[in-house]
């Protein structure tokens, strides 16, 4: 048996193995279901095992730290708060750390390649593209390859990516140079679904120029609003009005297999210094500008939250995170059908959307039948008694 990640399929696709390989033998490619996974150049691999050692998918022995503090948080700069997904706390932290000599490795959308990509910000201007969540898997390798372990970096990523990064910086004894931020993560949808969605939208708006997933035109609570600018026009498509991407993503219809089967990072399980998220729930139910949850796991993380200039309100995590997922999402009954259709070039996003609409109707009917059954059963019991 080899010690490397050779033959690893359906992993988190975090890409850290690809940059850890000293011989540069690991490519990160999109697999048949539309998720990143490593391909190793077997011929030249010496089986040193480093790629596997830093891989969070292959190692389950996490040493999660206890939460230090949890806060409702938002940027004091109204334009930042308005343009970020929730309170804009990740932007405030990034800007603060840039000022302290860090470089920031976070995510932007590349409309040429239709993908989210990690990139490195050196100035506050560079940071603008990092604002807002891109609800697709990010390609990290090019940015990670520019990281010099002897300099200071803030890295923002999914919890599974941050877990591999934590292993890597520990292994290379560079923890002091890094601040890691992850987020409460719902899961990552297939790139094949995103490609179909973009093909469908492009017919209307022309070649896509920019995409932003979260917009507060009608408030934070209704901010699942994709704004897509094309050559011909700009559209806004709301989850609540049947946006096809959001409906497929938020119904867990085509997430990465590892999100259903292998995610160990729900709720407060994090290897980051700081975890962020949307403070949905009762605490801020009347706020329409947006509030982030910010959770600190290290003293450095907690100090940064206090120094970065954002507004902080300490609160119990269970109140702030009452609506966050505590366990992995479940595959819906139509999962295999959806994945099969994703493989086919001739199937459209509309067809996939119809499947989940039918599923929702069936579930509604089943719930109604169950209610009727209970009412009838109770009435019969009363008669019998
Ligand atoms: C795939 C995905 C799933 C998420 N699931 C949840 C959830 O279940 N619950 C919840 O409360 N919050 C979730 N979030 C986080 C949430 O969308 C906000 O990022 C969070 O509320 C913080 O808001 P903000 O205003 O500070 O930051 P934002 O303006 O949203 O900035 C977020 C930061 O994350 C980086 N980023 C954006 N897209 C990605 C990406 N694809 N991969 C890695 N980093 C990225 C940005 O560059 C930025 O630094 C998810 C985010 C993503 C990308």
């Amino acid at each position: 048996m080899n010690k490397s990640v050779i033959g690893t399929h359906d992993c988190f696709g975090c890409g850290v193995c690809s940059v850890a390989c000293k011989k540069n033998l690991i490519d990160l490619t999109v697999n048949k279901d539309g998720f990143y996974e490593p391909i190793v150049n077997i011929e030249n691999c010496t089986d040193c095992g480093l790629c596997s050692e830093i891989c969070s998918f292959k190692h389950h022995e996490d040493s999660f730290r206890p939460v230090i503090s949890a806060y409702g948080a938002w940027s004091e700069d109204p334009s930042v708060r308005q343009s970020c997904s929730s309170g804009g706390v990740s932007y405030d932290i990034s800007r603060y750390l840039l000022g302290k000599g860090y470089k920031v490795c976070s995510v932007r959308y590349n409309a040429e390649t239709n993908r989210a990509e990690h990139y490195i910000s050196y100035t506050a201007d560079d940071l603008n593209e990092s604002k807002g969540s891109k609800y697709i898997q990010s390609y990290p390798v090019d940015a990670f390859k520019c990281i010099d372990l002897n300099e200071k970096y803030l890295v923002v990523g999914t919890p599974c990516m941050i877990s591999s990064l934590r292993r890597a910086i520990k292994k290379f004894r560079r923890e002091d140079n890094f601040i890691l931020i992850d987020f409460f993560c719902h899961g990552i949808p297939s790139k094949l679904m995103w490609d179909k969605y973009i093909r469908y939208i492009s017919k209307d708006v022309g070649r896509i120029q920019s995409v932003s997933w979260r917009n507060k035109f009608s408030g934070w609570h209704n901010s699942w609003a994709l704004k897509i600018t094309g050559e011909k026009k700009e559209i806004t498509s709301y989850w609540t009005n049947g946006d096809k991407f959001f409906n497929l993503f938020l119904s867990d219809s085509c997430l990465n297999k590892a999100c259903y089967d292998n995610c160990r990072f729900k709720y407060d399980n994090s290897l980051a210094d700081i975890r962020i998220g949307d403070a949905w729930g009762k605490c801020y139910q009347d706020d329409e500008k947006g509030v982030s949850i910010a959770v600190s796991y290290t003293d450095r993380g907690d100090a940064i939250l206090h120094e970065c200039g954002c507004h902080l309100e300490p609160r119990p995590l269970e109140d702030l995170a009452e609506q966050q997922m505590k366990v992995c999402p479940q595959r819906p009954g139509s999962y295999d059908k959806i994945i099969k259709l994703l493989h086919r070039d001739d199937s459209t996003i509309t067809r996939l959307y119809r499947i989940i609409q039918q599923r929702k109707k069936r579930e509604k009917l089943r719930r109604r039948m169950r209610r009727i059954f209970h009412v009838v059963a109770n009435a019969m019991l009363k008669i019998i008694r």
Side-chain angles (χ1 to χ4, degrees):
M1 213 176 90
N2 58 60
K3 287 189 283 176
S4 77
V5 296
I6 290 172
T8 301
H9 298 295
D10 302 325
C11 64
F12 297 138
C14 70
V16 181
C17 57
S18 173
V19 279
C21 176
K22 295 205 167 102
K23 296 189 142 200
N24 206 10
L25 298 176
I26 306 178
D27 271 344
L28 196 66
T29 54
V30 178
N31 69 17
K32 68 174 190 346
D33 293 342
F35 301 97
Y36 292 119
E37 69 180 33
I39 300 285
V40 184
N41 173 340
I42 302 175
E43 270 173 35
N44 299 321
C45 175
T46 55
D47 208 23
C48 72
L50 181 59
C51 54
S52 180
E53 209 178 315
I54 51 80
C55 169
S56 154
F57 183 74
K58 290 199 154 222
H59 291 87
H60 303 185
E61 68 293 359
D62 307 296
S63 39
F64 294 122
R65 294 186 179 101
V67 168
I68 295 182
S69 293
Y71 309 90
W74 58 85
S75 177
E76 299 278 17
D77 179 339
S79 68
V80 170
R81 198 172 175 191
Q82 175 65 21
S83 53
C84 290
S85 304
S86 52
V89 68
S90 56
Y91 180 86
D92 273 7
I93 297 169
S94 303
R95 195 166 48 182
Y96 167 73
L97 287 178
L98 271 180
K100 292 275 171 198
Y102 283 72
K103 298 173 182 76
V104 177
C105 182
S106 51
V107 174
R108 66 183 168 199
Y109 183 67
N110 183 337
E112 295 292 321
T113 54
N114 269 352
R115 67 182 191 184
E117 298 172 347
H118 273 76
Y119 75 108
I120 298 186
S121 291
Y122 302 90
T123 66
D125 277 351
D126 297 341
L127 274 185
N128 283 330
E129 288 183 288
S130 77
K131 284 180 185 166
S133 294
K134 292 87 188 168
Y135 293 108
I136 50 176
Q137 196 170 23
S138 173
Y139 179 79
V141 177
D142 295 341
F144 283 0
K145 282 194 172 155
C146 295
I147 289 180
D148 174 348
L149 288 177
N150 296 317
E151 295 188 3
K152 290 186 171 189
Y153 291 86
L154 161 67
V155 186
V156 187
T158 53
C160 46
M161 173 185 281
I162 292 301
S163 168
S164 290
L165 273 175
R166 176 67 73 196
R167 295 184 72 86
I169 57 177
K170 252 191 194 159
K171 167 83 191 160
F172 299 126
R173 297 177 202 280
R174 287 295 185 279
E175 276 193 282
D176 285 352
N177 283 355
F178 284 80
I179 295 292
L180 305 179
I181 296 187
D182 70 6
F183 37 80
F184 291 90
C185 184
H186 182 100
I188 292 285
S190 168
K191 184 174 188 315
L192 302 182
M193 189 268 278
W194 177 247
D195 289 344
K196 285 183 194 298
Y197 180 79
I198 283 297
R199 218 173 297 147
Y200 162 79
I201 296 286
S202 307
K203 281 187 196 148
D204 185 23
V205 305
R207 211 162 60 84
I208 309 289
Q209 290 170 336
S210 71
V211 177
S212 102
W213 276 255
R214 294 280 298 277
N215 290 283
K216 297 174 181 165
F217 306 126
S218 51
W220 169 50
H221 281 90
N222 194 23
S223 60
W224 299 97
L226 264 153
K227 187 177 92 177
I228 304 179
T229 311
E231 258 171 353
K232 290 193 263 174
K233 66 176 186 185
E234 180 176 294
I235 59 153
T236 305
S237 182
Y238 285 84
W239 173 37
T240 41
N241 282 347
D243 174 74
K244 294 179 173 60
F245 170 80
F246 274 135
N247 272 274
L248 280 149
F249 170 45
L250 295 172
S251 61
D252 307 330
S253 296
C254 50
L255 302 178
N256 194 1
K257 283 185 183 134
C259 299
Y260 302 106
D261 301 334
N262 307 91
C263 176
R264 316 184 294 274
F265 309 105
K266 289 289 186 260
Y267 199 63
D268 59 350
N269 285 349
S270 169
L271 287 151
D273 294 282
I274 299 169
R275 169 164 285 185
I276 55 174
D278 276 273
W280 306 126
K282 285 194 228 40
C283 292
Y284 297 102
Q285 63 188 0
D286 297 325
D287 185 290
E288 284 304 342
K289 291 182 178 160
V291 181
S292 300
I293 308 175
V295 187
S296 56
Y297 292 86
T298 60
D299 290 335
R300 285 204 304 159
D302 201 55
I304 288 165
L305 282 172
H306 284 276
E307 289 157 12
C308 74
C310 66
H311 178 89
L312 290 182
E313 294 186 348
R315 286 182 185 264
L317 179 67
E318 23 331 340
D319 293 351
L320 285 164
E322 60 172 323
Q323 299 215 348
Q324 299 295 341
M325 296 166 84
K326 293 199 167 65
V327 293
C328 293
Q330 297 279 309
R331 281 180 181 77
S334 51
Y335 177 78
D336 289 340
K337 193 171 177 184
I338 287 184
I339 292 293
K340 254 189 212 155
L341 284 173
L342 281 177
H343 294 162
R344 285 175 44 179
D345 276 346
D346 62 347
S347 74
T348 61
I349 193 85
T350 309
R351 182 144 178 223
L352 296 169
Y353 176 70
R354 245 184 257 133
I355 293 175
I356 61 159
Q357 289 307 99
Q358 283 161 1
R359 190 177 79 214
K360 275 186 194 159
K361 265 190 207 152
R362 275 200 304 274
E363 279 163 9
K364 208 168 154 189
L365 188 68
R366 221 172 286 143
R367 275 199 302 275
R368 195 175 293 160
M369 295 298 284
R370 224 175 283 143
R371 269 202 305 273
I372 293 172
F373 174 79
H374 280 300
V375 171
V376 173
N378 282 338
M380 284 175 71
L381 272 176
K382 267 186 199 159
I383 293 169
I384 294 167
R385 279 188 200 130

